Amino acid sequence: MTATVIPETNQHYDLDPAVFEQFLDPMRKYSSGLYLSDTDDLATAQRHKLRFVAGRMGVDDGERVLDIGCGWGALTLFLAGRYDCRVTGVTPAPRQRDHIEATARARGLAERVDVHCGMFERFDAPAGTFEAGAALGSVIHMPDLPAVFARTRRLLRKDARFYVSESCFRNGAIQAEFDARPGTAFVRNAIFGNGRLRPLSELVAAAETAGFSVETVDDLTDHYRRTIEAWIGNVETSRERLDELQDGLADQLTHYLEIANAGWGYTTKHYGLTLRNAR
């Protein structure tokens, strides 16, 4: 039997950083925003979300925080700058690491920001190193979810909070029906290179098995729908520039984002889980 090979990184995130400048907010936050009013624009919603995540984690000034799948560093840099936290980000994409490190230096945050480039499954630190942790839309790329939660819990001190946001199938029956559909396969293979959408129950079971207590579950589905609508609008506005960077890229991104938005409430939901290392 041939073993399944999991890519070291996702091809989507290794695109030229200029691609993401064209359709994300200025912080390049690549996950759901939080819209508190009808007039909030994308950048405002993403700032709201960072403050919300910090509140759910209960971070205090100067604490050590783990940012799993830190992307382009929006949360990492926010916590280091706003709360003087010492943040360790983990990303499999060298271009993301380089961007975060350069931005941290430019903002005078280099001493408070450390970025590990590699798969989280291979990241290690002494037990109880971190006072809080987050994984914004990143565990979808990790096939062994129980092992990921177990590793995270070991890295967190007792009573630390771990915030996880993830898109999920509405239930196991929908997962069985739609996981092999062409749209799902397109997102998984043509965009990410790897990834597995799960029902919420699977996330909760893995977290509880690892020893976490579930404190809150926030339904952020409508917020992610509005976020993606804003991204689609930005792709259209930047169509010419995107196609200069890679032929046909604007259409590919639009197709991916429209597939994502078509499923909200019908096949998929987006949740934020606040877990506590209570045991």
Side-chain angles (χ1 to χ4, degrees), residues 133-207:
L136 307 186
S138 57
V139 299
I140 191 173
H141 303 299
M142 302 176 189
D144 191 345
L145 193 60
V148 167
F149 279 117
R151 177 178 292 267
T152 303
R153 181 173 171 267
R154 190 188 69 80
L155 294 170
L156 296 175
R157 66 162 171 79
K158 189 178 184 303
D159 287 327
R161 287 178 173 83
F162 179 39
Y163 179 86
V164 181
S165 63
E166 198 55 80
S167 299
C168 300
F169 280 117
R170 283 186 59 201
N171 54 51
I174 287 176
Q175 179 187 33
E177 181 181 355
F178 284 88
D179 198 36
R181 290 283 183 97
T184 307
F186 168 76
V187 171
R188 180 166 50 235
N189 300 324
I191 299 295
F192 291 129
N194 67 302
R196 179 167 178 262
L197 208 65
R198 305 167 171 94
L200 174 64
S201 56
E202 194 170 327
L203 269 68
V204 170

Side-chain angles (χ1 to χ4, degrees), residues 9-248:
T9 186
N10 302 305
Q11 59 218 31
H12 185 61
Y13 302 124
D14 272 336
L15 291 172
D16 187 328
V19 168
F20 300 93
E21 293 175 358
Q22 306 307 310
F23 71 97
L24 301 181
D25 69 294
M27 296 181 293
R28 298 191 201 176
K29 184 175 174 296
Y30 204 4
S31 58
S32 176
L34 186 68
Y35 289 83
L36 300 184
S37 78
D38 291 339
T39 60
D40 284 347
D41 61 12
L42 177 63
T44 301
Q46 295 294 22
R47 290 193 295 270
H48 289 327
K49 180 65 177 302
L50 292 176
R51 290 191 287 269
F52 172 80
V53 172
R56 281 288 187 251
M57 289 192 293
V59 294
D60 288 325
D61 290 353
E63 289 190 327
R64 291 187 60 89
V65 181
L66 177 64
D67 186 3
I68 301 169
C70 57
W72 298 101
L75 181 63
T76 292
L77 295 164
F78 172 77
L79 293 174
R82 177 76 174 268
Y83 295 95
D84 294 329
C85 290
R86 292 166 293 163
V87 188
T88 297
V90 182
T91 174
R95 280 177 160 168
Q96 293 183 337
R97 173 203 58 201
D98 295 345
H99 171 77
I100 296 168
E101 290 179 344
T103 305
R105 288 193 297 270
R107 296 183 186 178
L109 301 174
E111 291 185 357
R112 296 201 289 274
V113 171
D114 178 59
V115 185
H116 172 81
C117 187
M119 298 173 69
F120 175 67
E121 292 90 334
R122 297 176 186 166
F123 172 78
D124 203 8
T129 293
F130 300 99
E131 280 86 21
L136 307 186
S138 57
V139 299
I140 191 173
H141 303 299
M142 302 176 189
D144 191 345
L145 193 60
V148 167
F149 279 117
R151 177 178 292 267
T152 303
R153 181 173 171 267
R154 190 188 69 80
L155 294 170
L156 296 175
R157 66 162 171 79
K158 189 178 184 303
D159 287 327
R161 287 178 173 83
F162 179 39
Y163 179 86
V164 181
S165 63
E166 198 55 80
S167 299
C168 300
F169 280 117
R170 283 186 59 201
N171 54 51
I174 287 176
Q175 179 187 33
E177 181 181 355
F178 284 88
D179 198 36
R181 290 283 183 97
T184 307
F186 168 76
V187 171
R188 180 166 50 235
N189 300 324
I191 299 295
F192 291 129
N194 67 302
R196 179 167 178 262
L197 208 65
R198 305 167 171 94
L200 174 64
S201 56
E202 194 170 327
L203 269 68
V204 170
E208 290 180 332
T209 298
F212 284 109
S213 295
V214 179
E215 288 201 331
T216 62
V217 178
D218 296 293
D219 185 346
L220 303 174
T221 305
D222 286 342
H223 299 277
Y224 213 169
R225 176 187 53 78
R226 285 186 63 179
T227 301
I228 293 178
E229 285 178 351
W231 291 344
I232 292 172
N234 289 343
V235 168
E236 187 58 36
T237 300
S238 304
R239 172 172 291 275
E240 183 175 348
R241 174 59 176 148
L242 286 165
D243 287 343
E244 287 175 357
L245 292 166
Q246 181 179 309
D247 187 44

